[in-house]
Amino acid sequence: MPDRAALVTGASSGIGLAIARMLGEEGYGLTVAARRPEKLEAAADELRAAGAEVEHVPANLTDEDAIRAVVAAHRARWGRLDVLVNNAGVGVGAPVADMETRRVDLQLDVNLRATVLFYREAAELLRAAGADHGNALVVNTSSISGKTGQPWLSVYSATKAAVIAWTQAMNKELNADGIKSVALCPGFVDTDMTAFVREHVPPEDMIRAEDISEAVRFLLKTSPNCVVPEIVFQRRGEAL
Ligand SMILES: NC(=O)c1ccc[n+]([C@@H]2O[C@H](COP(=O)([O-])OP(=O)(O)OC[C@H]3O[C@@H](n4cnc5c(N)ncnc54)[C@H](OP(=O)(O)O)[C@@H]3O)[C@@H](O)[C@H]2O)c1
């Protein structure tokens, strides 16, 4: 049984899968969650083949009960939570006059509400880890569009800006309990999410998912008194 455990949402591809791979390499017991069961199972099998111990829980994170079920499954399997990664996210582009309410709600629910609910459901486990070693970590995947709002991706930008503010608030509220939070703010990363832009920005000009996971590996090694509230990843030539 690993002596540390981590829960990663949106771990079936892209940035979440890269972070899960890294946490497996670092010896964490893993709970991975994402929406589509077959895709998640394939990712979990890949992680197991690489030597990680993995619980996989398909869950649509727009659903409060599903979020509770993910944390309950994690608690039942591992009994502790040292690293929580709120990474699942969705972006739907639209000009302001054409926004569909259900798509506005979807982005708010997955990108922001699920993050809030995961903190609530995991608070007791995180506090226990904080009391144990003073270095519980919550990683929230924001975006560079949370630093500076983007046209057409305006709702997405607003949810990601809210994730940064939420992360700041959580540091003020929970650092004294040994729980540190970080908001990751990348520009274009080469994942499924950026398939729509490949024609204009080729994958080789994008940030790699492993650039993000290596930054999280560094955070795991920081001392309890060192809080890194935010990391911005810009593409070469890109400015905020
Ligand atoms: N790629 C970029 O350029 C970029 C830049 C900045 C920030 N980000 C952020 O990085 C995070 C990861 O994105 P990615 O680039 O790695 O894209 P990705 O490969 O498409 O991964 C998104 C993950 O989120 C899951 N997810 C989406 N909606 C969900 C829902 N309703 N319930 C549960 N899981 C759900 C997906 O599962 P399913 O596939 O089953 O839906 C998938 O595992 C997101 O928060 C995104 O906003 C990405």
Side-chain angles (χ1 to χ4, degrees), residues 1-156:
M1 179 88 152
D3 59 1
R4 298 273 167 107
L7 193 170
V8 185
T9 73
S12 59
S13 60
I15 296 169
L17 180 54
I19 293 174
R21 268 190 213 113
M22 179 281 296
L23 289 166
E25 288 164 12
E26 294 291 327
Y28 285 74
L30 296 176
T31 299
V32 293
R35 184 174 56 102
R36 285 175 284 175
E38 302 79 24
K39 188 181 163 199
L40 179 64
E41 192 164 350
D45 285 345
E46 183 213 298
L47 294 166
R48 289 185 191 108
E53 291 184 44
V54 184
E55 184 76 18
H56 71 282
V57 190
N60 188 333
L61 302 187
T62 60
D63 176 1
E64 182 175 8
D65 289 340
I67 291 171
R68 288 189 208 276
V70 173
V71 177
H74 178 89
R75 184 195 296 265
R77 173 77 184 259
W78 308 111
R80 63 180 298 124
L81 179 59
D82 302 282
V83 177
L84 168 64
V85 184
N86 288 308
N87 168 78
V90 59
V92 188
V96 63
D98 296 342
M99 277 170 192
E100 293 176 45
T101 306
R102 69 186 173 92
R103 293 193 156 149
V104 174
D105 290 346
L106 174 68
Q107 293 173 88
L108 286 164
D109 286 354
V110 179
N111 300 355
L112 179 60
R113 179 177 178 266
T115 297
V116 172
L117 298 185
F118 265 105
Y119 268 84
R120 185 189 70 197
E121 295 303 315
E124 189 188 332
L125 284 168
L126 289 168
R127 279 208 171 85
D132 182 26
H133 50 63
N135 225 356
L137 177 67
V138 187
V139 177
N140 299 317
T141 309
S142 174
S143 165
I144 207 163
S145 66
K147 299 293 294 173
T148 174
Q150 296 301 318
W152 187 73
L153 282 171
S154 50
V155 174
Y156 178 78

